[in-house]
Short mmCIF file of all heavy atoms in Angstrom, two decimals:
data_model
loop_
_atom_site.label_atom_id
_atom_site.label_comp_id
_atom_site.label_asym_id
_atom_site.label_seq_id
_atom_site.Cartn_x
_atom_site.Cartn_y
_atom_site.Cartn_z
N MET D 1446 123.88 104.47 106.57
CA MET D 1446 124.67 104.56 105.36
C MET D 1446 124.46 105.90 104.70
O MET D 1446 123.36 106.39 104.64
CB MET D 1446 124.21 103.49 104.38
CG MET D 1446 124.87 102.19 104.50
SD MET D 1446 124.46 101.29 103.01
CE MET D 1446 124.78 99.70 103.55
N ASN D 1447 125.51 106.44 104.21
CA ASN D 1447 125.37 107.69 103.47
C ASN D 1447 125.38 107.41 101.98
O ASN D 1447 125.60 106.30 101.53
CB ASN D 1447 126.45 108.69 103.88
CG ASN D 1447 127.85 108.15 103.62
OD1 ASN D 1447 128.02 107.23 102.86
ND2 ASN D 1447 128.82 108.72 104.28
N THR D 1448 125.15 108.44 101.18
CA THR D 1448 125.05 108.23 99.74
C THR D 1448 126.38 107.85 99.13
O THR D 1448 126.41 107.13 98.14
CB THR D 1448 124.50 109.49 99.05
OG1 THR D 1448 125.32 110.60 99.40
CG2 THR D 1448 123.07 109.73 99.46
N ALA D 1449 127.50 108.30 99.70
CA ALA D 1449 128.81 107.92 99.16
C ALA D 1449 129.02 106.42 99.31
O ALA D 1449 129.54 105.76 98.40
CB ALA D 1449 129.91 108.68 99.87
N THR D 1450 128.59 105.87 100.43
CA THR D 1450 128.71 104.43 100.64
C THR D 1450 127.82 103.68 99.67
O THR D 1450 128.21 102.67 99.09
CB THR D 1450 128.33 104.06 102.08
OG1 THR D 1450 129.11 104.85 102.98
CG2 THR D 1450 128.57 102.59 102.35
N LEU D 1451 126.60 104.18 99.48
CA LEU D 1451 125.69 103.53 98.55
C LEU D 1451 126.21 103.61 97.13
O LEU D 1451 126.11 102.65 96.37
CB LEU D 1451 124.30 104.15 98.64
CG LEU D 1451 123.52 103.86 99.92
CD1 LEU D 1451 122.23 104.65 99.91
CD2 LEU D 1451 123.23 102.39 100.05
N ASP D 1452 126.76 104.77 96.74
CA ASP D 1452 127.30 104.92 95.40
C ASP D 1452 128.48 103.98 95.18
O ASP D 1452 128.61 103.38 94.11
CB ASP D 1452 127.73 106.37 95.14
CG ASP D 1452 126.53 107.29 95.02
OD1 ASP D 1452 125.41 106.79 94.76
OD2 ASP D 1452 126.70 108.51 95.19
N ALA D 1453 129.34 103.83 96.17
CA ALA D 1453 130.48 102.94 96.04
C ALA D 1453 130.02 101.49 95.93
O ALA D 1453 130.55 100.71 95.14
CB ALA D 1453 131.42 103.11 97.23
N ALA D 1454 129.00 101.12 96.69
CA ALA D 1454 128.48 99.76 96.62
C ALA D 1454 127.76 99.53 95.30
O ALA D 1454 127.86 98.45 94.71
CB ALA D 1454 127.54 99.51 97.78
N ASP D 1455 127.05 100.54 94.81
CA ASP D 1455 126.34 100.40 93.54
C ASP D 1455 127.29 100.28 92.36
O ASP D 1455 126.98 99.64 91.37
CB ASP D 1455 125.40 101.59 93.31
CG ASP D 1455 124.16 101.51 94.18
OD1 ASP D 1455 123.88 100.41 94.70
OD2 ASP D 1455 123.48 102.54 94.33
N ALA D 1456 128.45 100.90 92.45
CA ALA D 1456 129.40 100.87 91.35
C ALA D 1456 129.94 99.46 91.13
O ALA D 1456 130.33 99.11 90.03
CB ALA D 1456 130.54 101.83 91.61
N ARG D 1457 129.94 98.65 92.18
CA ARG D 1457 130.47 97.29 92.07
C ARG D 1457 129.44 96.29 91.56
O ARG D 1457 129.80 95.22 91.12
CB ARG D 1457 131.00 96.83 93.43
CG ARG D 1457 132.28 97.54 93.82
CD ARG D 1457 132.76 97.07 95.17
NE ARG D 1457 132.25 98.05 96.13
CZ ARG D 1457 131.89 97.77 97.37
NH1 ARG D 1457 131.96 96.57 97.83
NH2 ARG D 1457 131.43 98.72 98.16
N THR D 1458 128.17 96.63 91.63
CA THR D 1458 127.14 95.68 91.22
C THR D 1458 126.73 95.95 89.78
O THR D 1458 126.72 97.09 89.33
CB THR D 1458 125.91 95.79 92.14
OG1 THR D 1458 125.39 97.10 92.04
CG2 THR D 1458 126.26 95.47 93.58
N PRO D 1459 126.35 94.90 89.05
CA PRO D 1459 125.97 95.10 87.66
C PRO D 1459 124.64 95.83 87.49
O PRO D 1459 124.41 96.49 86.49
CB PRO D 1459 125.86 93.69 87.09
CG PRO D 1459 125.88 92.77 88.24
CD PRO D 1459 126.42 93.51 89.41
N ALA D 1460 123.75 95.74 88.45
CA ALA D 1460 122.43 96.38 88.34
C ALA D 1460 122.41 97.71 89.08
O ALA D 1460 121.43 98.06 89.72
CB ALA D 1460 121.38 95.44 88.90
N SER D 1461 123.48 98.47 89.00
CA SER D 1461 123.55 99.71 89.76
C SER D 1461 122.53 100.74 89.28
O SER D 1461 122.00 101.50 90.09
CB SER D 1461 124.96 100.30 89.70
OG SER D 1461 125.28 100.65 88.36
N ALA D 1462 122.24 100.76 88.01
CA ALA D 1462 121.25 101.73 87.50
C ALA D 1462 119.87 101.40 88.06
O ALA D 1462 119.12 102.31 88.42
CB ALA D 1462 121.24 101.71 85.98
N ASP D 1463 119.55 100.12 88.14
CA ASP D 1463 118.25 99.73 88.69
C ASP D 1463 118.16 100.08 90.17
O ASP D 1463 117.13 100.54 90.64
CB ASP D 1463 118.02 98.23 88.51
CG ASP D 1463 117.78 97.86 87.06
OD1 ASP D 1463 117.37 98.75 86.27
OD2 ASP D 1463 118.00 96.68 86.72
N ALA D 1464 119.24 99.84 90.91
CA ALA D 1464 119.24 100.15 92.34
C ALA D 1464 119.10 101.64 92.57
O ALA D 1464 118.38 102.06 93.47
CB ALA D 1464 120.51 99.62 92.98
N ARG D 1465 119.78 102.43 91.77
CA ARG D 1465 119.67 103.89 91.92
C ARG D 1465 118.27 104.37 91.56
O ARG D 1465 117.73 105.26 92.20
CB ARG D 1465 120.71 104.59 91.05
CG ARG D 1465 122.08 104.46 91.58
CD ARG D 1465 123.06 105.21 90.74
NE ARG D 1465 124.41 104.97 91.21
CZ ARG D 1465 125.48 105.16 90.48
NH1 ARG D 1465 125.38 105.61 89.26
NH2 ARG D 1465 126.67 104.90 90.97
N ALA D 1466 117.69 103.78 90.52
CA ALA D 1466 116.33 104.16 90.12
C ALA D 1466 115.34 103.79 91.22
O ALA D 1466 114.43 104.57 91.52
CB ALA D 1466 115.96 103.49 88.81
N ASP D 1467 115.52 102.62 91.82
CA ASP D 1467 114.64 102.21 92.91
C ASP D 1467 114.78 103.14 94.11
O ASP D 1467 113.80 103.54 94.72
CB ASP D 1467 114.93 100.78 93.35
CG ASP D 1467 114.45 99.75 92.34
OD1 ASP D 1467 113.66 100.13 91.45
OD2 ASP D 1467 114.88 98.58 92.45
N ALA D 1468 116.01 103.49 94.45
CA ALA D 1468 116.25 104.39 95.58
C ALA D 1468 115.63 105.76 95.32
O ALA D 1468 115.01 106.36 96.21
CB ALA D 1468 117.74 104.52 95.85
N ALA D 1469 115.77 106.25 94.10
CA ALA D 1469 115.18 107.54 93.75
C ALA D 1469 113.66 107.48 93.82
O ALA D 1469 113.01 108.43 94.29
CB ALA D 1469 115.63 107.97 92.36
N LEU D 1470 113.09 106.38 93.38
CA LEU D 1470 111.64 106.22 93.44
C LEU D 1470 111.14 106.21 94.88
O LEU D 1470 110.17 106.88 95.21
CB LEU D 1470 111.23 104.92 92.73
CG LEU D 1470 109.74 104.60 92.76
CD1 LEU D 1470 108.95 105.64 91.97
CD2 LEU D 1470 109.51 103.21 92.20
N PHE D 1471 111.82 105.47 95.74
CA PHE D 1471 111.41 105.42 97.14
C PHE D 1471 111.57 106.77 97.82
O PHE D 1471 110.75 107.16 98.65
CB PHE D 1471 112.19 104.35 97.91
CG PHE D 1471 111.70 102.96 97.63
CD1 PHE D 1471 112.54 102.01 97.07
CD2 PHE D 1471 110.41 102.60 97.93
CE1 PHE D 1471 112.09 100.74 96.82
CE2 PHE D 1471 109.94 101.32 97.67
CZ PHE D 1471 110.79 100.39 97.11
N ARG D 1472 112.62 107.51 97.47
CA ARG D 1472 112.79 108.86 98.03
C ARG D 1472 111.65 109.76 97.59
O ARG D 1472 111.09 110.52 98.38
CB ARG D 1472 114.13 109.46 97.58
CG ARG D 1472 115.21 109.39 98.61
CD ARG D 1472 116.38 110.27 98.26
NE ARG D 1472 116.86 110.12 96.90
CZ ARG D 1472 117.73 109.20 96.49
NH1 ARG D 1472 118.20 108.33 97.35
NH2 ARG D 1472 118.12 109.14 95.23
N LYS D 1473 111.28 109.68 96.32
CA LYS D 1473 110.21 110.52 95.79
C LYS D 1473 108.87 110.18 96.46
O LYS D 1473 108.12 111.06 96.86
CB LYS D 1473 110.10 110.32 94.29
CG LYS D 1473 109.14 111.25 93.60
CD LYS D 1473 109.20 111.07 92.10
CE LYS D 1473 108.31 112.06 91.41
NZ LYS D 1473 108.38 111.94 89.95
N ILE D 1474 108.61 108.89 96.61
CA ILE D 1474 107.37 108.46 97.27
C ILE D 1474 107.35 108.93 98.71
O ILE D 1474 106.33 109.43 99.22
CB ILE D 1474 107.21 106.93 97.18
CG1 ILE D 1474 106.92 106.52 95.74
CG2 ILE D 1474 106.12 106.44 98.11
CD1 ILE D 1474 106.96 105.03 95.50
N THR D 1475 108.48 108.79 99.39
CA THR D 1475 108.57 109.21 100.80
C THR D 1475 108.30 110.70 100.94
O THR D 1475 107.54 111.12 101.82
CB THR D 1475 109.95 108.84 101.37
OG1 THR D 1475 110.12 107.43 101.27
CG2 THR D 1475 110.06 109.27 102.82
N TRP D 1476 108.93 111.52 100.10
CA TRP D 1476 108.74 112.96 100.20
C TRP D 1476 107.32 113.39 99.84
O TRP D 1476 106.85 114.43 100.28
CB TRP D 1476 109.74 113.71 99.32
CG TRP D 1476 111.06 113.86 100.00
CD1 TRP D 1476 112.19 113.16 99.74
CD2 TRP D 1476 111.37 114.75 101.08
NE1 TRP D 1476 113.19 113.56 100.58
CE2 TRP D 1476 112.72 114.53 101.41
CE3 TRP D 1476 110.65 115.70 101.79
CZ2 TRP D 1476 113.35 115.23 102.43
CZ3 TRP D 1476 111.29 116.39 102.80
CH2 TRP D 1476 112.62 116.16 103.10
N ARG D 1477 106.61 112.60 99.05
CA ARG D 1477 105.23 112.93 98.72
C ARG D 1477 104.26 112.47 99.81
O ARG D 1477 103.26 113.13 100.08
CB ARG D 1477 104.83 112.27 97.39
CG ARG D 1477 105.63 112.74 96.21
CD ARG D 1477 104.89 113.79 95.44
NE ARG D 1477 105.73 114.34 94.39
CZ ARG D 1477 105.37 114.40 93.13
NH1 ARG D 1477 104.21 113.94 92.76
NH2 ARG D 1477 106.18 114.93 92.26
N LEU D 1478 104.52 111.33 100.42
CA LEU D 1478 103.58 110.76 101.39
C LEU D 1478 103.76 111.28 102.81
O LEU D 1478 102.78 111.40 103.54
CB LEU D 1478 103.69 109.24 101.41
CG LEU D 1478 103.05 108.50 100.25
CD1 LEU D 1478 103.25 107.01 100.41
CD2 LEU D 1478 101.58 108.82 100.14
N MET D 1479 104.97 111.57 103.22
CA MET D 1479 105.20 111.95 104.62
C MET D 1479 104.45 113.21 105.03
O MET D 1479 103.87 113.24 106.11
CB MET D 1479 106.70 112.08 104.90
CG MET D 1479 107.41 110.74 104.99
SD MET D 1479 106.63 109.58 106.13
CE MET D 1479 106.99 110.34 107.69
N PRO D 1480 104.42 114.27 104.23
CA PRO D 1480 103.63 115.44 104.65
C PRO D 1480 102.14 115.10 104.81
O PRO D 1480 101.48 115.56 105.74
CB PRO D 1480 103.83 116.46 103.53
CG PRO D 1480 105.12 116.06 102.90
CD PRO D 1480 105.19 114.57 103.01
N LEU D 1481 101.62 114.27 103.90
CA LEU D 1481 100.22 113.87 104.00
C LEU D 1481 99.98 113.05 105.26
O LEU D 1481 99.00 113.27 105.98
CB LEU D 1481 99.82 113.07 102.76
CG LEU D 1481 98.41 112.51 102.77
CD1 LEU D 1481 97.39 113.63 102.75
CD2 LEU D 1481 98.20 111.56 101.61
N LEU D 1482 100.87 112.11 105.55
CA LEU D 1482 100.71 111.29 106.74
C LEU D 1482 100.81 112.13 108.02
O LEU D 1482 100.06 111.90 108.97
CB LEU D 1482 101.74 110.17 106.76
CG LEU D 1482 101.55 109.09 105.70
CD1 LEU D 1482 102.70 108.10 105.75
CD2 LEU D 1482 100.23 108.38 105.89
N CYS D 1483 101.70 113.09 108.04
CA CYS D 1483 101.83 113.97 109.22
C CYS D 1483 100.57 114.82 109.39
O CYS D 1483 100.09 114.99 110.52
CB CYS D 1483 103.06 114.86 109.09
SG CYS D 1483 104.61 113.94 109.25
N ALA D 1484 100.04 115.33 108.30
CA ALA D 1484 98.81 116.14 108.38
C ALA D 1484 97.65 115.28 108.87
O ALA D 1484 96.85 115.72 109.71
CB ALA D 1484 98.49 116.75 107.03
N CYS D 1485 97.56 114.05 108.39
CA CYS D 1485 96.50 113.14 108.85
C CYS D 1485 96.64 112.84 110.33
O CYS D 1485 95.65 112.75 111.05
CB CYS D 1485 96.52 111.85 108.03
SG CYS D 1485 95.92 112.05 106.35
N TYR D 1486 97.87 112.68 110.80
CA TYR D 1486 98.11 112.41 112.22
C TYR D 1486 97.63 113.59 113.07
O TYR D 1486 96.97 113.40 114.09
CB TYR D 1486 99.58 112.15 112.45
CG TYR D 1486 99.94 111.84 113.87
CD1 TYR D 1486 99.70 110.59 114.41
CD2 TYR D 1486 100.51 112.82 114.69
CE1 TYR D 1486 100.01 110.30 115.73
CE2 TYR D 1486 100.82 112.55 116.01
CZ TYR D 1486 100.58 111.29 116.52
OH TYR D 1486 100.88 111.01 117.82
N VAL D 1487 97.94 114.81 112.65
CA VAL D 1487 97.53 116.00 113.40
C VAL D 1487 96.01 116.13 113.40
O VAL D 1487 95.40 116.42 114.43
CB VAL D 1487 98.21 117.26 112.82
CG1 VAL D 1487 97.60 118.53 113.39
CG2 VAL D 1487 99.71 117.22 113.08
N LEU D 1488 95.39 115.91 112.25
CA LEU D 1488 93.92 115.99 112.18
C LEU D 1488 93.27 114.91 113.04
O LEU D 1488 92.23 115.17 113.67
CB LEU D 1488 93.46 115.88 110.73
CG LEU D 1488 93.78 117.09 109.85
CD1 LEU D 1488 93.40 116.81 108.41
CD2 LEU D 1488 93.08 118.33 110.36
N ASN D 1489 93.85 113.74 113.08
CA ASN D 1489 93.33 112.67 113.93
C ASN D 1489 93.39 113.08 115.40
O ASN D 1489 92.44 112.88 116.15
CB ASN D 1489 94.12 111.39 113.69
CG ASN D 1489 93.63 110.24 114.52
OD1 ASN D 1489 92.47 110.18 114.89
ND2 ASN D 1489 94.51 109.30 114.80
N TYR D 1490 94.49 113.67 115.82
CA TYR D 1490 94.63 114.13 117.21
C TYR D 1490 93.59 115.20 117.53
O TYR D 1490 92.94 115.14 118.58
CB TYR D 1490 96.05 114.67 117.44
CG TYR D 1490 96.22 115.23 118.82
CD1 TYR D 1490 96.38 114.41 119.92
CD2 TYR D 1490 96.23 116.62 119.02
CE1 TYR D 1490 96.52 114.92 121.19
CE2 TYR D 1490 96.38 117.14 120.29
CZ TYR D 1490 96.53 116.29 121.37
OH TYR D 1490 96.66 116.83 122.62
N LEU D 1491 93.43 116.17 116.63
CA LEU D 1491 92.44 117.22 116.86
C LEU D 1491 91.02 116.66 116.93
O LEU D 1491 90.21 117.09 117.76
CB LEU D 1491 92.54 118.29 115.77
CG LEU D 1491 93.81 119.13 115.78
CD1 LEU D 1491 93.83 120.04 114.56
CD2 LEU D 1491 93.91 119.93 117.06
N ASP D 1492 90.72 115.71 116.08
CA ASP D 1492 89.39 115.11 116.07
C ASP D 1492 89.13 114.37 117.37
O ASP D 1492 88.05 114.49 117.95
CB ASP D 1492 89.25 114.17 114.88
CG ASP D 1492 87.85 113.62 114.76
OD1 ASP D 1492 86.89 114.42 114.87
OD2 ASP D 1492 87.71 112.40 114.55
N ARG D 1493 90.10 113.62 117.85
CA ARG D 1493 89.92 112.90 119.12
C ARG D 1493 89.72 113.87 120.28
O ARG D 1493 88.90 113.63 121.17
CB ARG D 1493 91.13 112.03 119.41
CG ARG D 1493 91.18 110.79 118.59
CD ARG D 1493 92.38 109.98 118.98
NE ARG D 1493 92.53 108.85 118.10
CZ ARG D 1493 93.00 107.68 118.47
NH1 ARG D 1493 93.38 107.51 119.72
NH2 ARG D 1493 93.12 106.71 117.62
N THR D 1494 90.47 114.96 120.26
CA THR D 1494 90.34 115.95 121.32
C THR D 1494 88.96 116.59 121.29
O THR D 1494 88.31 116.74 122.34
CB THR D 1494 91.42 117.03 121.17
OG1 THR D 1494 92.70 116.41 121.13
CG2 THR D 1494 91.39 118.01 122.31
N ASN D 1495 88.49 116.95 120.11
CA ASN D 1495 87.17 117.58 119.99
C ASN D 1495 86.05 116.63 120.38
O ASN D 1495 85.07 117.04 120.98
CB ASN D 1495 86.95 118.09 118.56
CG ASN D 1495 87.79 119.31 118.28
OD1 ASN D 1495 88.17 120.04 119.18
ND2 ASN D 1495 88.11 119.52 117.01
N VAL D 1496 86.17 115.35 120.05
CA VAL D 1496 85.15 114.38 120.44
C VAL D 1496 85.13 114.24 121.96
O VAL D 1496 84.06 114.12 122.57
CB VAL D 1496 85.41 113.01 119.75
CG1 VAL D 1496 84.56 111.91 120.36
CG2 VAL D 1496 85.14 113.14 118.26
N GLY D 1497 86.30 114.30 122.58
CA GLY D 1497 86.35 114.22 124.04
C GLY D 1497 85.65 115.40 124.70
O GLY D 1497 84.90 115.23 125.67
N TYR D 1498 85.87 116.61 124.16
CA TYR D 1498 85.18 117.78 124.72
C TYR D 1498 83.68 117.71 124.46
O TYR D 1498 82.87 118.08 125.32
CB TYR D 1498 85.73 119.07 124.12
CG TYR D 1498 87.09 119.44 124.66
CD1 TYR D 1498 88.13 119.81 123.80
CD2 TYR D 1498 87.36 119.44 126.02
CE1 TYR D 1498 89.38 120.14 124.29
CE2 TYR D 1498 88.60 119.78 126.52
CZ TYR D 1498 89.60 120.13 125.65
OH TYR D 1498 90.83 120.46 126.13
N ALA D 1499 83.28 117.24 123.30
CA ALA D 1499 81.85 117.13 122.99
C ALA D 1499 81.18 116.12 123.91
O ALA D 1499 80.05 116.33 124.36
CB ALA D 1499 81.67 116.73 121.53
N GLN D 1500 81.88 115.03 124.21
CA GLN D 1500 81.33 114.02 125.11
C GLN D 1500 81.09 114.61 126.50
O GLN D 1500 80.08 114.36 127.12
CB GLN D 1500 82.27 112.83 125.18
CG GLN D 1500 81.81 111.73 126.11
CD GLN D 1500 82.83 110.60 126.24
OE1 GLN D 1500 83.94 110.73 125.76
NE2 GLN D 1500 82.43 109.55 126.90
N LEU D 1501 82.03 115.41 126.98
CA LEU D 1501 81.87 116.02 128.29
C LEU D 1501 80.68 116.98 128.32
O LEU D 1501 79.96 117.06 129.31
CB LEU D 1501 83.15 116.76 128.68
CG LEU D 1501 84.36 115.89 128.98
CD1 LEU D 1501 85.60 116.77 129.23
CD2 LEU D 1501 84.10 115.01 130.19
N GLN D 1502 80.47 117.73 127.24
CA GLN D 1502 79.36 118.67 127.19
C GLN D 1502 78.02 117.96 127.03
O GLN D 1502 77.00 118.43 127.53
CB GLN D 1502 79.56 119.66 126.05
CG GLN D 1502 80.69 120.63 126.33
CD GLN D 1502 80.89 121.62 125.20
OE1 GLN D 1502 80.21 121.57 124.19
NE2 GLN D 1502 81.85 122.53 125.40
N MET D 1503 77.99 116.82 126.37
CA MET D 1503 76.74 116.10 126.17
C MET D 1503 76.28 115.41 127.45
O MET D 1503 75.08 115.16 127.61
CB MET D 1503 76.90 115.06 125.06
CG MET D 1503 77.16 115.66 123.70
SD MET D 1503 75.80 116.64 123.16
CE MET D 1503 75.19 115.63 121.86
N LYS D 1504 77.20 115.11 128.35
CA LYS D 1504 76.83 114.45 129.60
C LYS D 1504 76.04 115.37 130.52
O LYS D 1504 75.29 114.91 131.35
CB LYS D 1504 78.08 113.93 130.32
CG LYS D 1504 78.64 112.68 129.69
CD LYS D 1504 79.79 112.15 130.51
CE LYS D 1504 80.29 110.85 129.92
NZ LYS D 1504 81.39 110.29 130.71
N ASP D 1505 76.24 116.67 130.38
CA ASP D 1505 75.55 117.63 131.25
C ASP D 1505 74.11 117.74 130.94
O ASP D 1505 73.23 117.44 130.54
CB ASP D 1505 76.16 119.02 131.12
CG ASP D 1505 77.54 119.07 131.77
OD1 ASP D 1505 77.82 118.21 132.62
OD2 ASP D 1505 78.30 119.99 131.41
#
């Protein structure tokens, strides 16, 4: 769905202001959390890789 479809659907419902406020809130939360989640994912990958290399060196 695009925003024009959502706006047209919201115009027909009595609680359109609430729906728009909720959508704006979820967009704001998404834009704040996604960069953090992506950074955590990359750091997790790097940590797993480094632990794997450390394990190989400790076996020697």
Side-chain angles (χ1 to χ4, degrees):
M1446 271 194 200
N1447 59 19
T1448 55
T1450 307
L1451 290 175
D1452 290 340
D1455 285 343
R1457 288 179 264 147
T1458 61
S1461 64
D1463 290 338
R1465 287 183 186 160
D1467 287 346
L1470 178 65
F1471 283 120
R1472 259 194 311 275
K1473 187 174 183 178
I1474 290 171
T1475 300
W1476 278 104
R1477 298 261 174 127
L1478 284 180
M1479 286 309 290
L1481 176 65
L1482 291 175
C1483 290
C1485 287
Y1486 181 78
V1487 169
L1488 289 174
N1489 181 27
Y1490 176 76
L1491 291 174
D1492 185 45
R1493 284 182 186 213
T1494 305
N1495 288 335
V1496 168
Y1498 286 132
Q1500 179 184 9
L1501 291 175
Q1502 290 180 358
M1503 294 297 250
K1504 284 185 177 181
D1505 289 339

